[in-house]
Amino acid sequence: MEPVYLSVTALTKYIKRKFDADPYLERVYLTGEISNYRPRPGHQYFSLKDDHAVISAVMYKGRFDKLTFKPKEGMKVMLIGRVNVYESGGTYNIMVEHMEPDGVGALYQAFSELKEKLTREGLFSLPKKKLPVFPKRIAIVTSSSGSVIRDIMTTVKRRYPIVQLVLYPTIVQGKDSAANIIKNLKAIEQKGDFDVVIVARGGGSIEDLWSFNEETVVRQIAAMSVPVISSVGHETDTTLADFVADVRAATPTAAAELSVPVLSDVIRYIHQIDNRLYQKMRHLHTIQKQRLNRAMQSYIFRQPERMYEGYAIKADQAQQRLANQMQQQIHLRSNELQRLQLRLENRNPAREVQLAGNRRQQLADELQRAMGRYLKQKEMRLTSAMQSLDLLSPLKIMSRGYTYTTRNGDVVASVKELHSGDKLKVNFSDGYAEAEVKHVVEEK
């Protein structure tokens, strides 16, 4: 039997009829987390997911307007709807008829808890660094492919082509993205010659943007010494990187516009400043010239002596006051001197001096007489002592034939001190003789 080949359209119609005829798919009760949600003025399109699967969802405007709450990215909800096949795209989705909140999704809960923690630490309230007006080098942390880098480069080239852009190719989604973002930010910080850093990424679900909610990434952005512009996701997306960055831009294009001025506007502004400066200088020159002319016509230049007339008068007055005060002081001191002279005359010490002189002379005479008597007594005692000493003098004795013997300068007092052969010196009253001991005899 020959196989029958179906067209894609036929197969899709068959599958759609199966879905439409299945009673279990006619009314489905689902719970999950909202993802890829972007508010639209008409029908709403988003995804509903759990840990292992994702399904597209559509909610028509009429039913959406009846909701009593505002859906948000990451919010966990319960919904009622029917499963439908979209033939043109060959996809299926759930047509939501009713929806209500069912707590907060895991990622949204983690986002809220980390945000609250970092808020308590004050990480989001740190002083924001100002963007330089005329940057020279800008570092861009984003994927090397995609529209983000192209939008930034196009915008910067159009507005301020003289700035240098340096791309740090970065993984912005997936398990390795956070580590790669931190690595590039640290490399920029270590390089140290950038004026601005742009951290950018296109739109996506909360899972896609989660790298920019990682605590390590947020702390690294806060630690940067260079101003950081955060442009992660679309305008409605919010990440923790946006809170900690110095400036938050809604789109990568907006980030590029915030980072650089418009060169033509800068040049025009410089010309305007230059013209205003020239006009200001001309005006100041005119004013100063007028002041100079008025000053030249002033009496100070025509009659300069008038400048110090007042000071001369004050100097004369001060001199007169000084002379008067000096005269008063002289008069006071003269009166004081006269009073002291009168007191001195009343207490003239001349008599006391004369009496003291007479008394001194008497004492001097008495001292002279006493000294004479004292010296006479001492002289008599000295004469007597000399006579006694002369009688006891060894020389006097030696003149009668006595001698004394020495050996090596020491007096020999006993034969016990002598030995045969000793050299001796025998001292007389009128000289000495040298001798040698021949024999020692000790008498008992």
Side-chain angles (χ1 to χ4, degrees):
M1 183 177 179
E2 291 290 327
V4 179
Y5 290 87
L6 298 176
S7 65
V8 175
T9 302
L11 177 60
T12 305
K13 286 184 178 291
Y14 176 79
I15 294 173
K16 178 174 174 56
R17 285 197 298 271
K18 286 290 187 181
F19 272 60
D20 292 341
D22 192 334
Y24 295 103
L25 301 180
E26 181 65 23
R27 193 168 183 83
V28 179
Y29 297 83
L30 288 181
T31 180
E33 184 177 306
I34 295 177
S35 179
N36 292 326
Y37 175 69
R38 305 287 181 274
R40 294 174 173 83
H43 306 319
Q44 305 299 315
Y45 301 89
F46 55 94
S47 299
L48 194 70
K49 68 181 185 66
D50 57 19
D51 294 337
H52 304 289
V54 180
I55 184 173
S56 298
V58 179
M59 192 171 191
Y60 290 134
K61 185 177 186 304
R63 296 184 181 275
F64 181 80
D65 291 341
K66 294 178 181 179
L67 293 180
T68 58
F69 70 101
K70 186 177 180 180
K72 294 181 180 179
E73 181 74 13
M75 180 179 290
K76 192 172 182 181
V77 296
M78 298 183 299
L79 57 81
I80 303 173
R82 60 183 177 84
V83 179
N84 178 55
V85 175
Y86 182 64
E87 294 181 51
S88 299
T91 59
Y92 75 98
N93 54 34
I94 183 167
M95 307 298 294
V96 181
E97 299 174 358
H98 176 74
M99 184 168 61
E100 60 186 39
D102 184 28
V104 180
L107 288 179
Y108 187 78
Q109 180 69 30
F111 175 90
S112 299
E113 291 176 355
L114 181 56
K115 180 182 177 183
E116 183 178 354
K117 171 188 173 183
L118 298 181
T119 300
R120 288 196 304 269
E121 289 184 16
L123 199 67
F124 299 143
S125 58
L126 294 174
K128 302 298 183 182
K129 296 179 283 294
K130 292 184 179 180
L131 298 177
V133 180
F134 305 110
K136 296 179 181 178
R137 301 187 75 215
I138 298 177
I140 303 173
V141 178
T142 190
S143 174
S144 58
S145 61
S147 60
V148 172
I149 185 60
R150 291 196 300 272
D151 291 345
I152 293 176
M153 293 176 63
T154 301
T155 303
V156 171
K157 184 177 181 181
R158 171 176 51 83
R159 290 171 59 89
Y160 199 65
I162 63 175
V163 73
Q164 181 183 5
L165 299 179
V166 180
L167 172 64
Y168 282 77
T170 306
I171 303 172
V172 294
Q173 181 177 338
K175 64 177 183 178
D176 298 327
S177 58
N180 193 236
I181 294 169
I182 294 173
K183 174 185 174 183
N184 287 338
L185 289 174
K186 288 183 176 180
I188 293 169
E189 182 72 12
Q190 185 176 7
K191 188 73 173 175
D193 59 352
F194 291 102
D195 301 306
V196 181
V197 178
I198 297 177
V199 178
R201 188 206 186 283
S205 65
I206 188 171
E207 298 94 336
D208 298 337
L209 305 180
W210 190 253
S211 300
F212 299 93
N213 290 323
E214 293 286 353
E215 183 174 356
T216 53
V217 174
V218 175
R219 292 189 182 278
Q220 180 59 44
I221 293 176
M224 296 293 287
S225 61
V226 184
V228 178
I229 301 176
S230 174
S231 176
V232 179
H234 296 299
E235 185 173 2
T236 55
D237 294 321
T238 301
T239 63
L240 297 179
D242 297 330
F243 291 107
V244 79
D246 298 292
V247 178
R248 193 249 177 176
T251 62
T253 300
E257 292 176 348
L258 289 170
S259 64
V260 295
V262 179
L263 184 59
S264 58
D265 293 344
V266 173
I267 295 174
R268 183 166 55 253
Y269 177 72
I270 292 174
H271 287 325
Q272 292 174 353
I273 294 297
D274 182 67
N275 185 57
R276 286 203 296 269
L277 180 61
Y278 174 74
Q279 296 297 332
K280 182 67 175 179
M281 290 302 297
R282 285 193 60 184
H283 179 66
L284 289 176
H285 177 265
T286 301
I287 292 176
Q288 295 300 328
K289 187 176 181 180
Q290 292 174 354
R291 291 183 63 186
L292 177 61
N293 291 334
R294 287 196 299 270
M296 293 298 293
Q297 298 301 320
S298 174
Y299 72 89
I300 294 176
F301 291 96
R302 289 185 288 105
Q303 298 177 340
E305 65 277 2
R306 295 178 58 182
M307 291 181 61
Y308 55 83
E309 285 179 351
Y311 296 105
I313 294 173
K314 290 181 179 180
D316 291 340
Q317 294 174 348
Q319 184 178 8
Q320 185 62 40
R321 287 197 299 269
L322 178 61
N324 293 337
Q325 291 177 358
M326 290 295 295
Q327 190 65 33
Q328 291 176 1
Q329 290 296 322
I330 292 172
H331 182 68
L332 291 174
R333 295 296 181 267
S334 178
N335 293 338
E336 182 69 18
L337 179 59
Q338 291 178 3
R339 287 195 298 271
L340 293 175
Q341 287 176 344
L342 291 175
R343 290 176 60 187
L344 182 61
E345 291 176 358
N346 294 332
R347 297 182 181 180
N348 191 351
R351 183 176 179 78
E352 285 79 0
V353 171
Q354 184 179 4
L355 293 174
N358 295 336
R359 179 61 178 165
R360 181 192 65 79
Q361 188 61 43
Q362 292 176 358
L363 292 174
D365 294 342
E366 291 178 2
L367 179 61
Q368 188 68 28
R369 290 191 295 272
M371 286 297 296
R373 291 192 298 272
Y374 179 78
L375 290 175
K376 188 66 175 176
Q377 293 173 359
K378 292 300 180 181
E379 184 178 357
M380 293 173 64
R381 290 182 62 185
L382 177 60
T383 301
S384 176
M386 288 177 64
Q387 291 174 354
S388 300
L389 182 61
D390 184 60
L391 293 175
L392 298 175
S393 171
L395 296 176
K396 193 79 172 177
I397 297 172
M398 290 174 68
S399 65
R400 295 196 298 271
Y402 291 95
T403 64
Y404 68 93
T405 303
T406 61
R407 183 185 58 189
N408 297 329
D410 296 327
V411 176
V412 178
S414 173
V415 296
K416 295 179 181 181
E417 300 176 6
L418 299 176
H419 301 88
S420 296
D422 286 349
K423 301 295 183 178
L424 302 177
K425 183 180 180 181
V426 181
N427 295 276
F428 296 89
S429 62
D430 55 350
Y432 66 90
E434 293 182 352
E436 181 178 350
V437 178
K438 295 297 184 176
H439 182 64
V440 178
V441 178
E442 181 179 355
E443 294 182 355
K444 296 182 180 180

